[in-house]
């Protein structure tokens, strides 16, 4: 149970001392709150910039959490009461976690704002690499019209990507189309975008060859290279992966709205998002989809280099392998997630205590599954978890241990029954950080 307002006013000086100790090494003030700069500052070399502000906030939070876990920093006025000290610690950690989340969002926005330059540089670096490879392979054989067409096609693609990066400079540059609504890199969109760029590049190579062709027979051969029979495998794969990208977005959206899938927003996209789930764990379905698609693209690139007069003729065997991989990825999207569920609710009995019915003020232990959504292991997300007990919303207290939290967890959480709960049969329901609601579980509360 929480302490009253008067008690918290009386503890003001002690709380200030605890905060000062928790933020030791930062000049005795909260991280990111320098006199000249705030945590949202994004100047590149500024020591109080967004990245530095986030780093300092995280370090201060970890010191605070581990200190509380070791029993340090708790004011004497609440140390005598286990419930009061637990509530005080939870509120202090919640406030510190909110600061960390604020700094994390500021760093993510600053990182996205500067990403468009890095994506543009990476694109043009690939163009330079292509030029070097063409120059090396031209030794002994000479420069050909196919090499010129390939280089010009790469320049056109690079110009288009650079322009897209500039127009989307506030949302990740050229990567903006493949960043999902949860601010993570989307595996399905990235794979589809890679195939679109590859096919567009191949067509531009043929266009360049056709523009440079002077003989009628050569032009006819290049036009026939665009026939469906020549590139049926590549076109089929392109259609399937683009359809998968659209369908996955629809599936995920409907499952989130139906509370069958929990999604939380990331601070910023990361390359690892392509191979992992929202919790950062390796995902088999994502990994196999990316690897097989990359192998097929590499094969197509080699075929295009060998036969620049037609669309890459992806063999049907390899095309079927990509289609099976895409189907596996889509099936994984249908199978992942699930609605959180309460399996049982029991009264917490302290060591040496007597067995008794649930009363107001008692701690109850809620057992189930799916209480912590993937990617919501941070304290700022855990602190958003709420348990509805009758008509009262009770926030789940954070109980720190060294390296993490013992409460709440994905399968177990403990919360006190507020005194405002009316005795009788009441319903218990958990609301997760993603907004998903569990089933209603009925318990009896006695006076």
């Amino acid at each position: 149970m929480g302490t009253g307002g008067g008690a918290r006013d009386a503890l003001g000086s002690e709380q200030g001392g605890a905060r000062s100790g928790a933020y030791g090494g930062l000049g005795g003030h909260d991280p990111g709150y320098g006199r000249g700069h705030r945590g949202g500052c994004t100047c590149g070399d500024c020591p109080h910039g967004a990245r530095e502000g986030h780093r300092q906030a995280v370090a201060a939070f970890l010191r605070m959490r581990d200190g509380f876990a070791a029993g340090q920093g708790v004011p004497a006025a609440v140390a005598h009461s286990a419930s009061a000290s637990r509530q005080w610690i939870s509120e202090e950690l919640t406030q510190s976690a909110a600061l960390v989340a604020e700094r994390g969002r500021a760093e993510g926005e600053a990182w996205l704002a500067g990403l468009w330059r890095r994506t543009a540089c990476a694109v043009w670096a690939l163009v330079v690499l292509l030029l070097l490879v063409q120059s090396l392979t031209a030794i002994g054989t000479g420069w050909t019209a196919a090499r010129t067409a390939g280089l010009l096609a790469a320049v056109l693609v690079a110009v288009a990507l650079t322009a897209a990066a500039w127009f989307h400079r506030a949302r990740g540059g050229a990567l903006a189309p493949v960043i999902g609504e949860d601010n993570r890199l989307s595996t399905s969109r990235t794979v589809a975008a890679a195939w679109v760029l590859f096919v567009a590049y191949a067509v531009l190579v043929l266009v360049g060859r056709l523009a440079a062709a002077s003989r009628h027979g050569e032009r006819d051969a290049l036009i026939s290279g665009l026939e469906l029979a020549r590139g049926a495998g590549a076109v089929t794969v392109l259609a399937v992966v683009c359809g998968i990208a659209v369908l996955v977005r629809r599936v995920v959206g409907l499952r989130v709205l139906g509370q069958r899938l929990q999604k939380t927003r990331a601070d910023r996209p990361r390359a690892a998002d392509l191979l992992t789930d929202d919790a950062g764990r390796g995902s088999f379905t994502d990994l196999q989809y990316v690897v097989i698609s990359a192998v097929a693209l590499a094969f197509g690139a080699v075929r295009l280099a060998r036969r620049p007069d037609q669309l890459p003729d992806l063999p049907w065997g390899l095309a079927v392998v990509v289609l099976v991989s895409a189907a596996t990825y889509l099936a994984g999207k249908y199978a992942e997630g699930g609605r959180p569920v309460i399996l049982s609710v029991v009264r917490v009995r302290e060591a040496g205590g007597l067995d008794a019915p649930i009363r107001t003020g008692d701690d109850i232990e809620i057992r189930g599954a799916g209480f912590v959504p993937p990617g919501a292991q941070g304290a700022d997300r855990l602190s958003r978890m709420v348990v509805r007990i009758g008509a009262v919303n009770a926030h789940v207290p954070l109980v720190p241990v060294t390296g993490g939290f013992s409460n709440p967890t994905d399968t177990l959480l403990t919360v006190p029954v507020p005194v405002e709960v009316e005795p009788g049969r009441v319903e218990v329901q958990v609301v997760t950080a993603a907004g998903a609601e569990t089933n209603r579980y009925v318990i009896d509360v006695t006076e």
Side-chain angles (χ1 to χ4, degrees):
M1 296 188 303
T3 58
R8 291 192 61 84
D9 292 338
L11 297 176
S13 59
E14 295 188 60
Q15 291 179 12
R19 290 193 187 97
S20 178
Y23 290 103
L26 297 178
H29 54 75
D30 289 353
Y33 282 95
R35 289 184 176 85
H37 298 269
R38 299 289 181 178
C41 172
T42 58
C43 45
D45 299 327
C46 173
H48 295 282
R51 179 179 300 179
E52 182 64 15
H54 183 226
R55 186 194 67 79
Q56 291 181 358
V58 170
F61 173 80
L62 294 178
R63 286 195 298 270
M64 177 184 287
R65 184 199 62 193
D66 293 342
F68 286 152
Q72 303 171 358
V74 180
V78 297
H80 67 282
S81 172
S83 60
S85 60
R86 182 180 61 185
Q87 185 67 26
W88 186 88
I89 289 173
S90 179
E91 291 178 0
E92 293 298 308
L93 289 174
T94 298
Q95 294 176 14
S96 181
L99 178 63
V100 173
E102 179 186 346
R103 296 294 179 266
R105 287 190 293 270
E107 181 191 8
E109 292 172 359
W111 186 85
L112 278 179
L115 183 60
W116 78 273
R117 293 185 179 87
R118 294 192 290 271
T119 56
C121 291
V123 168
W124 286 103
L126 291 177
V127 174
V128 173
L129 179 62
L130 176 62
L131 175 61
L132 292 177
V133 171
Q134 287 184 336
S135 300
L136 292 176
T137 56
I139 297 177
T141 60
W143 192 269
T144 62
R147 288 187 171 89
T148 301
L151 184 59
L152 290 177
V155 170
L156 289 176
V157 172
V159 169
L161 290 177
T162 302
W166 189 84
F167 282 112
H168 296 87
R169 57 189 179 277
R171 296 184 176 273
L175 295 182
V178 299
I179 297 177
E181 288 73 12
D182 57 354
N183 208 30
R184 295 180 177 89
L185 284 180
S186 170
T187 302
S188 60
R189 297 185 195 180
T190 301
V191 171
W195 279 101
V196 168
L197 289 176
F198 173 68
V199 173
Y201 174 76
V203 173
L204 286 175
V205 171
L206 291 176
V207 170
R209 293 289 311 278
L210 184 62
S214 57
R215 296 189 302 273
H216 181 73
E218 184 180 1
R219 290 195 296 269
D220 289 343
L222 290 171
I223 293 176
S224 65
L226 287 171
E227 293 180 356
L228 183 60
R230 299 289 183 90
V235 172
T236 301
V237 169
L238 175 65
V240 170
V241 297
C242 289
I244 291 291
V246 176
L247 184 57
V248 164
R249 181 179 182 182
R250 178 66 174 171
V251 168
V252 171
L254 290 177
R255 286 173 61 83
V256 169
L257 292 177
Q259 297 195 19
R260 297 188 299 275
L261 179 66
Q262 301 188 71
K263 298 286 287 185
T264 57
R265 184 176 176 84
D267 290 335
R268 67 177 179 87
R270 292 175 172 80
D273 295 338
L274 300 177
L275 307 177
T276 61
D277 59 14
D278 291 353
R281 298 183 296 262
S283 172
F284 169 74
T285 55
D286 292 62
L287 177 62
Q288 60 86 29
Y289 191 37
V290 171
V291 170
I292 291 179
S293 297
V295 171
L297 282 170
F299 181 89
V302 173
R303 292 293 293 173
L304 179 62
R306 294 296 183 182
R307 297 291 302 272
D309 56 345
Q310 65 180 43
L311 286 176
D313 52 341
L314 201 66
W316 276 111
L318 183 56
V320 170
V321 170
V322 177
L323 299 183
V324 171
S325 174
T328 303
Y329 174 77
L330 181 61
K333 286 299 179 182
Y334 271 103
E336 72 177 356
R339 187 168 184 172
V341 59
I342 295 177
L343 300 178
S344 61
V345 178
V346 298
R347 174 180 175 272
V348 176
R349 184 177 69 88
E350 297 181 358
L354 299 176
D355 294 328
I358 298 175
R359 296 184 176 88
T360 56
D362 290 343
D363 288 342
I364 56 174
E365 186 177 87
I366 303 175
R367 303 169 183 174
F371 296 149
V372 180
Q377 292 80 10
D380 63 309
R381 302 287 171 79
L382 294 177
S383 63
R384 299 179 187 176
M385 189 177 298
V386 173
V387 177
R388 292 195 186 118
I389 307 177
V392 181
N393 291 332
H395 287 270
V396 181
L398 300 177
V399 179
V401 294
T402 302
F405 297 93
S406 62
N407 186 67
T409 66
D410 189 58
T411 59
L412 186 72
L413 59 89
T414 301
V415 64
V417 179
V419 295
E420 292 83 4
V421 174
E422 295 292 337
R425 295 180 65 84
V426 297
E427 294 180 337
V428 177
Q429 188 178 33
V430 176
V431 182
T432 70
E437 299 177 344
T438 66
N439 56 305
R440 300 176 184 273
Y441 193 95
V442 180
I443 62 173
D444 291 316
V445 178
T446 60
E447 296 182 0

